[in-house]
Amino acid sequence: MPASNSYSWIDSPPLSATISELEDSIMHEDSNLEILRNDVTHLQHQTVQENVDIVLQSNTLDTGFSSPIWRLPTEILAEIFKYCLPDDEHLAPASKLAPILLTTVCRRWREVSVGLPMLWCRLQLEDDDDNWQKSAVGYDSWLQRSDECPLSLRIEYSGNWSKLRELLQPYMPQISTLTLDFLPCVNPVIMEEFCALKELTIYQRYFYPAQAVYPSLSNFPVSLRRLNVTDLFLDREEVGFFTDFAWAHITHLEINVNGLDAFPHILRMCPNLSFVTMHGMFYPIEIAEPITHPNLQSLHMFGDVFWNLGLDIGLFNVITLPNLRIVEASHMGPWPHEEFKAFLMRSKCPLEKLIFGIASFATARQQAEYATLIPSLEIIADPDS
């Protein structure tokens, strides 16, 4: 007698029938999926065609102003175009991004966008383009559309000053803000030719600066007021490389120092300085060169607590700032209390605000002593410090 099947109670259809049913079901689902794909494709084509129709209506003068877009006042369209610009501080020319994209939609949009200088006053360019002649034509077209608006430029600089000079010469009186991103190179930028420049920021691609950087920082135009060189790391010797005349008109400075000996020399180079943000390694003063600076009002110091911990920095022993109103300190470890208190008494400054930020420590008793010296002083201390 054959062995009985322990699963004989299950009433199953033949295996071949089951496979056939599964195949039919899969084919049915594939058919439904294909129908859905066709519907989606149709809707996509319909949406694209509707957009094309709108643009074509706007592009035809004899439509009787049937398109709502065509009937928008130029002023409203101009405001809309402003919000189409990328959020980047400087704009690299790109056919799929505003403002260039706006010039390709229709004739009216091109006329409006080309006639809006505010859309064309921020530009990023590079001088090592493989096809410089073609790129220069595009850059020049962009800059022409800025009309007489102040220009803000970012230049990736690789040493081809002669090419840049030829391109930018007609626009020098408009360039008010400039960011220079130095690649390894030797030829400096002749900064004094930027006759209307008010703000300058320097970046470098590598830790060691290009040979062109320091010569470029020694010939500023007299119009320059704001300078940001926090991407460099300057010690006393390197700061001494710069000419005093070049820095004499700067009022706002952001700098990164390798040792505090650089700071008194900076004050000498910048007699009109009113605002300083200083980052870096605050090694104590070694060369005592006392200086009184009558114009500095705001001093913001961001050190490295691991290097400054427990050290008397010596800075407040050599500087006198009779017009100082704001002092901010972060990542400086224990605050040089006695040194700073003597500085306040010597400077007789109208200090309004003393800020102890992250990892800068002043005790409650020390803060009370400052308040006694200057009753109107506002002291702000980070609660975690």
Side-chain angles (χ1 to χ4, degrees):
M1 182 176 181
S4 62
N5 188 338
S6 60
Y7 299 102
S8 60
W9 56 270
I10 300 177
D11 186 15
S12 301
L15 182 59
S16 59
T18 303
I19 294 175
S20 177
E21 290 177 2
L22 288 173
E23 290 176 344
D24 291 342
S25 177
I26 291 171
M27 291 180 62
H28 179 70
E29 295 299 327
D30 284 345
S31 177
N32 289 339
L33 182 59
E34 186 63 28
I35 292 172
L36 288 173
R37 285 174 177 166
N38 291 335
D39 288 343
V40 170
T41 302
H42 175 73
L43 289 173
Q44 289 175 335
H45 284 303
Q46 184 179 3
T47 302
V48 171
Q49 187 59 49
E50 288 174 355
N51 290 332
V52 170
D53 290 343
I54 290 173
V55 171
L56 289 175
Q57 289 176 12
S58 298
N59 198 30
T60 307
L61 290 173
D62 59 359
T63 58
F65 303 101
S66 59
S67 168
I69 292 180
W70 179 260
R71 293 197 298 269
L72 280 177
T74 299
E75 294 78 8
I76 300 297
L77 207 54
E79 288 297 317
I80 293 173
F81 286 176
K82 292 180 189 177
Y83 289 97
C84 294
L85 293 176
D87 293 332
D88 301 328
E89 184 177 357
H90 299 93
L91 307 179
S95 60
K96 295 184 178 181
L97 294 176
I100 292 180
L101 177 63
L102 299 173
T103 68
T104 65
V105 174
C106 65
R107 185 165 59 235
R108 183 171 182 242
W109 281 31
R110 177 178 177 81
E111 291 172 353
V112 173
S113 59
V114 169
L116 283 174
M118 66 189 71
L119 300 182
W120 308 94
C121 59
R122 299 180 288 143
L123 176 62
Q124 177 173 324
L125 59 153
E126 53 188 67
D127 70 338
D128 64 344
D129 196 300
D130 294 335
N131 192 357
W132 169 254
Q133 290 186 341
K134 181 178 179 181
S135 296
V137 170
Y139 292 146
D140 186 60
S141 176
W142 181 299
L143 293 170
Q144 285 182 28
R145 294 170 183 176
S146 69
D147 197 17
E148 297 181 357
C149 275
L151 288 170
S152 178
L153 304 183
R154 177 164 187 157
I155 301 174
E156 294 184 6
Y157 182 69
S158 60
N160 296 310
W161 170 244
S162 59
K163 294 194 301 187
L164 278 174
R165 182 182 188 183
E166 182 179 359
L167 169 67
L168 298 178
Q169 191 66 45
Y171 309 103
M172 290 296 191
Q174 292 176 241
I175 302 173
S176 62
T177 304
L178 178 63
T179 298
L180 281 174
D181 193 346
F182 279 87
L183 281 69
C185 60
V186 175
N187 296 327
V189 176
I190 310 303
M191 293 300 312
E192 57 194 352
E193 297 197 17
F194 292 88
C195 55
L197 188 64
K198 293 181 173 61
E199 300 183 29
L200 173 64
T201 300
I202 301 293
Y203 291 112
Q204 58 179 352
R205 286 292 180 89
Y206 303 98
F207 182 77
Y208 294 101
Q211 296 181 46
V213 173
Y214 292 157
S216 299
L217 298 180
S218 296
N219 56 7
F220 293 143
V222 296
S223 58
L224 187 66
R225 295 295 179 267
R226 295 174 177 266
L227 175 63
N228 184 335
V229 286
T230 53
D231 208 42
L232 305 180
F233 196 45
L234 302 172
D235 59 23
R236 171 64 176 80
E237 182 179 353
E238 290 165 329
V239 169
F241 181 85
F242 310 133
T243 60
D244 293 358
F245 176 77
W247 291 52
H249 301 280
I250 295 173
T251 59
H252 288 66
L253 177 65
E254 296 180 54
I255 197 165
N256 193 351
V257 299
N258 183 17
L260 287 170
D261 279 321
F263 188 62
H265 188 71
I266 290 169
L267 292 180
R268 287 187 177 85
M269 291 196 306
C270 306
N272 293 296
L273 204 59
S274 64
F275 179 100
V276 171
T277 295
M278 181 167 56
H279 302 259
M281 302 293 190
F282 294 166
Y283 305 125
I285 290 282
E286 294 181 0
I287 304 173
E289 298 176 334
I291 179 173
T292 298
H293 194 288
N295 294 316
L296 190 64
Q297 298 183 27
S298 295
L299 175 60
H300 304 263
M301 305 173 66
F302 300 88
D304 187 320
V305 67
F306 297 107
W307 286 102
N308 301 329
L309 192 60
L311 296 177
D312 292 327
I313 60 177
L315 177 64
F316 295 109
N317 290 331
V318 300
I319 61 174
T320 301
L321 307 174
N323 204 25
L324 190 64
R325 285 167 165 75
I326 299 174
V327 173
E328 180 180 7
S330 291
H331 295 97
M332 292 186 61
W335 185 243
H337 171 63
E338 295 298 333
E339 181 181 325
F340 186 69
K341 188 170 68 169
F343 159 80
L344 290 178
M345 296 174 67
R346 182 176 66 253
S347 294
K348 296 182 173 59
C349 57
L351 195 64
E352 300 170 359
K353 187 176 295 186
L354 178 58
I355 305 169
F356 295 105
I358 297 173
S360 287
F361 320 115
T363 66
R365 182 186 62 80
Q366 292 170 344
Q367 295 180 36
E369 290 187 35
Y370 301 142
T372 300
L373 285 175
I374 308 175
S376 61
L377 178 64
E378 179 185 2
I379 300 176
I380 301 173
D382 187 280
D384 297 327
S385 295

